[in-house]
Amino acid sequence: MSAAPAYGEDKGGSAGPGEPEYGHDPASGGIFSSDYKRHDDLKEMLDTNKDSLKLEAMKRIVAMIARGKNASDLFPAVVKNVACKNIEVKKLVYVYLVRYAEEQQDLALLSISTFQRGLKDPNQLIRASALRVLSSIRVPIIVPIMMLAIKEAASDMSPYVRKTAAHAIPKLYSLDSDQKDQLIEVIEKLLADKTTLVAGSVVMAFEEVCPERIDLIHKNYRKLCNLLIDVEEWGQVVIISMLTRYARTQFLSPTQNESLLEENPEKAFYGSEEDEAKGPGSEEAATTALPARKPYVMDPDHRLLLRNTKPLLQSRSAAVVMAVAQLYFHLAPKAEVGVIAKALVRLLRSHSEVQYVVLQNVATMSIKRRGMFEPYLKSFYIRSTDPTQIKILKLEVLTNLANETNIPTVLREFQTYIRSMDKDFVAATIQAIGRCATNIGRVRDTCLNGLVQLLSNRDELVVAESVVVIKKLLQMQPAQHGEIIKHLAKLTDNIQVPMARASILWLIGEYCEHVPKIAPDVLRKMAKSFTAEEDIVKLQVINLAAKLYLTNSKQTKLLTQYVLSLAKYDQNYDIRDRARFTRQLIVPSEQGGALSRHAKKLFLAPKPAPVLESSFKDRDHFQLGSLSHLLNAKATGYQELPDWPEEAPDPSVRNVEVPEWTKCSNREKRKEKEKPFYSDSEGESGPTESADSDPGSESASDSKSSDQSGSEESSSESESEDQEEEKGESSESEQSEEEGGKSKMKKRKKVAEGQGSSSDEGSGPSSSSSESERTSETEGEQMEPASWRKKTPPSGKSAPVAKEISLLDLEDFTPPSVQPVSPSTIVSTSLATDLEGLTLTDSPLVPSLLSPVSGVGRQELLHRVAGEGLAVDYTFSRQPFSGDPHMVSVHIHFSNSSDTPIKGLHVGTPKLPAGISIQEFPEIESLAPGESVTAVMGINFCDSTQAANFQLCTQTRQFYVSIQPPVGELMAPVFMSENDFKKEQGKLTGMSEVTEKLTLPDTCRSDHIVVQKVTTIANLGRVPCGASDEYRFAGRTLTSGSLVLLTLDARPTGAAQLTINSEKMVIGTMLVKDVVQALTQ
Amino acid sequence: MIHSLFLINSSGDIFLEKHWKSVVSRSVCDYFFEAQERATEAENVPPVIPTPHHYLLSVYRHKIFFVAVIQTEVPPLFVIEFLHRVVDTFQDYFGVCSEPVIKDNVVVVYEVLEEMLDNGFPLATESNILKELIKPPTILRTVVNTITGSTNVGDQLPTGQLSVVPWRRTGVKYTNNEAYFDVIEEIDAIIDKSGSTITAEIQGVIDACVKLTGMPDLTLSFMNPRLLDDVSFHPCVRFKRWESERILSFIPPDGNFRLLSYHVSAQNLVAIPVYVKHSISFRDSSSLGRFEITVGPKQTMGKTIEGVIVTSQMPKGVLNMSLTPSQGTHTFDPVTKMLSWDVGKINPQKLPSLKGTMSLQAGASKPDENPTINLQFKIQQLAISGLKVNRLDMYGEKYKPFKGIKYMTKAGKFQVRT
């Protein structure tokens, strides 16, 4: 509104008393008139209580920043307003803060707490913008806070916040590259995100932080391919270019069998591309190629990529079209590359900058794949209104496209261009004609004649350029063209352009036998004007003199000597040098006659004709569409496009893992179940829903008797369906509504069938409540199949079939409680999750769990079915590990339920995140059927909740397993007095303190229960405490030994406040969540 | 990705700078100025300029250079496309995109830029979303804000941002529900001396102005969709539907947008609706040249050709021209040597012509080339390719919208060589 006066103020410097708008304001009026110090008025305005004044001040400050004026001295005054209620003021303060925080780091820290508060705001926009600003403040000291904030936001329920988290990753990385490992973890997690909103941003982060970790993509490859069309344009560009690189490392070259043809591009394109363009050579090419062709089968994933990117050629964004074009150029079989030509030609209608880039790429492509653009030849015709740089690029393309058949039209076009007023363009045209003449023998004479005619052009530049080109052409067949050389010789009188003069002299010298009479005369003239010539011409004069001396020494001896003596005293050392060198060679002296005898051979050796090549040749070793390609030089951060592998890497890595035992189950049957499964989870509000969902949640939660394999299968199922589902996602949304009803009916029938329905039930909890969906979504995604397995309670030995039925019977008794952990990975289309994000915007933040809640009870490591009879559970024993005090001791219980003994149980090559180490248990020689044995192993989790993945090997098999510790297990109790506790707590305030308010349910108001719950969740020791409603616990983390202090202040009313003080903020926050979870349930 | 943005006016002043990462000194623009000097003309400044530590990518629009500074490899089109999107957004917000307007609205510009990029990576570029985040300045809103103290900045996440239709805002309400579609075709052609067509193609767009309540789902079908050789869609168009049925099915954004652009290729015969007869001659010895142009209609399908403007860049040797038009007005700028003749409507009974003499520089030799003639014209109610919209249907909402379709043919890059 009043940006204009703000501007006026700037222009007039700070002496702006004539601000009518504030004249009426008594507070500022006085200051304005006596304004000597800079920006005092602004400071005053920022200090008032009026939002309107603050806003005005901020607007003026932002205007200053925009103009590049320094406003850093206002920092203290501005930063105070960071918590201002007015959202516009707040935003402008953010703008200011991001701009100047780097310069005033100490003061910037004052604002941090506001953002930390903002991170917990129920409004997702505020959460996101708090994270945005927090991560944009380039102050190294807050790196840990940023890290924590990013990790939290990465599991936020709002996809928008998760997107912001992905954006924050490269920011933090550029601030502190030591965080790479942790950031990669976050990236890995976000890569698994299924919303289109996040996909583009996280791939961007991936490209900036860890482009070399191609292994992270495997599991997400198919998902990315399928989501691609729904991602916003900018994300599409980044994803496509990343996938191009990925495909180059993972698939075989589709053109490998055509490599024979590749060597001969002239023929290759005829043979493989344009049927109508078939020339006489094509038949041969095809026949020679055919016998060599081995069957090549394209990897279905490779095909998937090509298929899913193709529609994007129709994008309105030039960047996307270009990205797809380069993908096709680098990855598609020759026969398919053609499709991109049309789209690229379309881009030529766009802004001239776009044209410029596109033409550069077309120029490169047209060298390799000429046939592709031939039908569009006319689209590259040049208009007089095109900017010169565009004209020259179009010319390049036209030249590349010229061939035997179209050369007459192309040359006719060129003829028009030569008369253009734009002389740079004319020069380029002459070069282009020269190239056409060298490439296409048939028109060489025509071109040469045309160029010779140009020699009489009035414009010197044109003539000069023609001379240079003619010189090159003549070298190819000098004998026939004595006349032209004579003609050129005459030109030396008029033409002044050094390069042209030099070219003529060289020609005369080289072919002096063809013009024996004229040559000495030219030398005479040149000798006369020698001193006035340019260096390049002088060198050629010496050259000419030498050659003439060797062929016709009678006439030219004196002239040569004259030229050489002139050159001897030239200012330029190159010329003096050349003169000395030449004299030694041609004039036989007393001593060194050996070389001069061969002087003629040296000077008049036959020289190969120059090849006129496109400057775009071989540029395609850069990834097309990249900056490096455009500049023809490697730009910083450019990722080389790898060569195709010789042998295809294992394609199975892209399979989203399906546990082994489901392979035997009938695939057909599962497919059939798909539809109901999905439409169910989408049509959440359906009336039959609750009935369906209960058994599901029950099976997941407390019923020990519920069938293990049932819930497991469902989750594996959902994973495999996942992929299939995504393919059809676009149509899904439309259908889902009407189908919802139908499918529910179907589903009921299935439930009644009993056994076969297990997967449906498993899906129950996922659809029953969006809350559980949230948590399980983020969780399920980050975990390997082995790790979710352990979350399900250990199974009894009962037969699955029988329990299946009891499960149904139980449905009325199960509490409808929301389980934090759902056994199934949630399947949702991008649509579904997006919509959920939408509907949930107003609901309060659900504390999302980073780790499964677990007490000290047994957890499953390997199910007996998966382990082929070997069942493995583990418990955190909470005893100090004997070998290393930093290790968490884990008791592993093996039991053999097969009927053969299992031999040689040991831990195989662990694949561990940085810092984590394992102390293996001693090998168990043999485990007889029915026997159980317990081993102890130690794991140093390095104070993080990262899962330790390792292999469990028997003599015959290997199982991938992983142990993820609940955060409470990462510490050991310490015993301290109340005073010590308070003292330590005093040291750990501020950023190290995490506080959460909660309400204790009636069931856990007694001391005993509270203490029990806390100690179950965390391995802490109770600290004696005077007050009755306060509980204190203390512990140290195992690896670093940092103190973890937990205080619970419980009021009799049930309201309570939980405080955790720990240097390890990550642990603190996670622990708070776990404890709150445990206490409130 | 994009590190910083500088806005530079034609006189070389940096009048706005914005940084998304650490600050890049504006002295980096010196490299740009160097290149600008070398290029002599604004449009010849290379869009990509490498400097020792940065790369400068620029676009030139509305007499303003938008220079983006980047540090690492990034697809150049990505940046260029984004810069154009920035310009489009400004145009959308302020009606025009010019230096004074940007300066007047510098705060809004800054807020918008802040939302468009996060750490140099595009965040929100759909104008429907941006407008919800930061409301465009209008006089009314300014007044209201001053009185009520409310702000231009939205405090809720635009719902579009999270939905599957990010281009449409929710809760749209109109009393009059209307949907207008303009089918605009441009003919790009090069006609040679003798009047024969060297190349001609048709570039068409369908621009829409949709003001419909709620979440309407529209389908637009053509009588002859096979005509469209190559199409590019607004992201709202469902591609699969087009592939299988050749029907445009979409949930439209609110307001003005480009639904589709298409291309009818040079392979098809393109009807050229006008012809130009010309006789331009310079004589070597004389200082006078003759100049005569006549414009006439052909293949217009019975429609009138309007808005005809003939422009031509005359050779440097031409000092002045004395011409008489049979209709319309003409101007000749002796500095830029640009001849412009505003013809208006072509009356087939009485063809417009421009006749006269050119005075040439004495002693200068005859120019090599005759000037090319650029032509602009408009034909209402005609799509020259013959494309016809069959019907427009709406689903998902109950009311009856008002529908309108308009056709127009224009000259694109229409050039006559002489």
Side-chain angles (χ1 to χ4, degrees), chain A residues 352-354 356-357 360 387-390 393 630, chain B residues 8-10 29-50 56-61 64-67 80:
Chain A
S352 84
E353 295 87 6
V354 175
Y356 178 82
V357 179
Q360 296 250 3
T388 311
Q389 51 186 353
I390 300 291
L393 284 170
L630 188 84
Chain B
I8 301 174
N9 64 14
S10 44
C29 292
D30 293 347
Y31 293 101
F32 178 80
F33 295 132
E34 255 172 55
Q36 196 184 3
E37 223 160 89
R38 237 177 290 133
T40 61
E41 269 172 72
E43 56 186 4
N44 268 330
V45 177
V48 181
I49 303 167
L56 306 178
L57 275 70
S58 62
V59 304
Y60 180 67
R61 276 179 76 182
I64 301 171
F65 284 103
F66 293 76
V67 184
I80 288 170

Side-chain angles (χ1 to χ4, degrees), chain A residues 1 3-4 7 59 62-63 65-68 86-88 91-92 95 99 102 123-125 132 136 138 158-160 163-164 167 170-171 197 200-201 204 208 229 232-235 237-238 311 314-319 322 342-343 346 348-349 351-358 375 378-379 381-385 387-389 413 416-417 419-421 423 457-458 625-628 630-631 634-638 727 730 734 831 834 837-838 841, chain B residues 1 15-17 19-23 26 43-48 50 55 57-61 70-78 80-82 84-85 103-104 106-107 110-111 114-115 117-119 121-123 125-126 133 142 146 149 151-157 159 161-164 186 188-190 193 198-199 201 203 229-235 238-240 267 313-315 365-369 372 374 412-413 415 417-418:
Chain A
M1 51 187 202
Y7 236 87
K59 283 188 169 176
V62 166
I65 297 175
R67 299 208 44 177
N86 184 312
I87 193 146
E88 191 166 15
K91 277 216 161 167
L92 294 176
V95 168
R99 170 70 179 76
E102 211 172 1
N123 183 338
Q124 51 182 337
L125 184 63
R132 261 182 79 183
S136 299
R138 289 167 294 274
S158 155
Y160 184 71
K163 184 188 177 74
T164 318
H167 281 247
K171 296 186 210 171
L197 203 58
S201 302
M204 179 69 227
E208 280 200 21
I229 194 144
E232 25 87 71
E233 295 152 323
W234 315 107
V237 176
V238 180
Q314 252 69 52
S315 170
R316 64 169 171 175
S317 157
M322 190 66 233
K342 203 186 266 181
R346 184 184 71 230
L348 294 179
R349 271 283 296 187
H351 301 284
S352 84
E353 295 87 6
V354 175
Q355 280 184 49
Y356 178 82
V357 179
V358 171
K378 286 186 173 177
S379 302
Y381 281 5
I382 294 155
R383 294 183 160 78
S384 61
T385 41
T388 311
Q389 51 186 353
E413 257 318 279
T416 336
Y417 302 159
R419 288 187 286 131
S420 165
M421 281 177 260
K423 292 305 166 205
N457 194 294
R458 265 185 313 265
S626 68
L627 184 63
S628 305
L630 188 84
L631 299 168
K634 221 173 139 183
T636 348
Y638 172 71
K727 285 176 198 159
S730 54
E734 290 161 21
L831 175 72
D834 280 346
L838 197 70
T841 44
Chain B
M1 285 224 155
F15 65 91
L16 187 120
E17 62 178 67
H19 308 275
W20 283 273
K21 301 187 184 182
S22 22
V23 177
R26 54 165 65 192
E43 56 186 4
N44 268 330
V45 177
V48 181
Y55 304 95
L57 275 70
S58 62
V59 304
Y60 180 67
R61 276 179 76 182
I70 60 167
Q71 241 173 351
T72 50
E73 169 68 46
V74 55
L77 272 184
F78 185 98
I80 288 170
E81 181 79 25
F82 176 79
H84 281 299
R85 201 63 68 82
K103 278 183 168 174
D104 284 351
V106 70
V107 175
Y110 232 67
E111 285 170 340
E114 184 73 28
E115 287 303 329
L117 280 184
D118 179 16
N119 194 35
F121 191 76
L123 188 62
T125 48
E126 281 298 334
L133 280 172
T142 314
T146 351
T151 63
N152 274 336
V153 178
D155 60 352
Q156 281 294 331
L157 185 68
T159 43
Q161 182 74 279
L162 290 174
S163 76
V164 269
E186 296 192 354
D188 289 356
I190 301 178
K193 226 178 190 144
I198 292 180
T199 165
E201 39 193 31
Q203 305 283 348
D229 185 37
D230 181 35
V231 280
S232 75
F233 301 115
H234 188 276
R238 296 185 181 98
F239 184 72
K240 291 217 172 90
Q267 269 88 339
Q313 173 75 54
M314 304 306 285
S365 50
K366 145 182 184 250
D368 302 324
E369 186 196 32
T372 47
N374 295 304
K413 297 171 178 169
Q415 213 158 71
R417 292 175 178 164
T418 62

Side-chain angles (χ1 to χ4, degrees), chain A residues 838-857:
Chain A
L838 197 70
T839 52
L840 274 174
T841 44
D842 294 323
S843 67
L845 231 186
V846 181
S848 53
L849 295 176
L850 287 167
S851 70
V853 180
S854 70
V856 276

Side-chain angles (χ1 to χ4, degrees), chain A residues 682-742:
Chain A
E682 275 169 25
E684 277 177 20
S685 53
T688 56
E689 203 60 6
S690 58
D692 284 346
S693 61
D694 279 347
S697 64
E698 190 247 23
S699 79
S701 58
D702 54 346
S703 125
K704 290 257 189 323
S705 59
S706 88
D707 174 39
Q708 199 73 47
S709 66
S711 56
E712 271 161 5
E713 187 174 293
S714 73
S715 38
S716 67
E717 177 118 10
S718 56
E719 263 175 15
S720 64
E721 278 163 352
D722 209 330
Q723 316 157 14
E724 285 153 350
E725 149 57 25
E726 273 157 1
K727 285 176 198 159
E729 67 190 1
S730 54
S731 58
E732 198 79 38
S733 58
E734 290 161 21
Q735 300 169 357
S736 65
E737 231 171 285
E738 28 180 307
E739 236 161 71
K742 260 189 257 165

Side-chain angles (χ1 to χ4, degrees), chain A residues 97-98 101-102 108 111-112 115 132-140 142 146 171 175:
Chain A
L97 209 54
V98 172
E102 211 172 1
S111 61
I112 303 295
F115 300 126
R132 261 182 79 183
V133 182
L134 182 68
S135 56
S136 299
I137 294 175
R138 289 167 294 274
V139 179
I142 62 163
M146 276 164 76
K171 296 186 210 171
L175 193 63

Side-chain angles (χ1 to χ4, degrees), chain B residues 141-200:
Chain B
R141 186 164 298 125
T142 314
V143 174
V144 170
N145 285 351
T146 351
I147 295 165
T148 62
S150 58
T151 63
N152 274 336
V153 178
D155 60 352
Q156 281 294 331
L157 185 68
T159 43
Q161 182 74 279
L162 290 174
S163 76
V164 269
V165 282
W167 51 85
R168 186 170 180 89
R169 58 196 179 92
T170 46
V172 183
K173 266 212 175 97
Y174 289 103
T175 39
N176 295 324
N177 290 296
E178 36 191 27
Y180 297 107
F181 294 87
D182 293 356
V183 180
I184 302 168
E185 298 196 331
E186 296 192 354
I187 306 175
D188 289 356
I190 301 178
I191 312 288
D192 81 352
K193 226 178 190 144
S194 59
S196 54
T197 312
I198 292 180
T199 165

Side-chain angles (χ1 to χ4, degrees), chain A residues 158 191 359 594-595 657 695 826-827 842 848 913 1010 1050 1067:
Chain A
S158 155
L191 272 174
L359 283 168
L595 269 179
E657 255 166 54
I826 295 317
V827 181
D842 294 323
S848 53
V1010 169
I1067 290 190

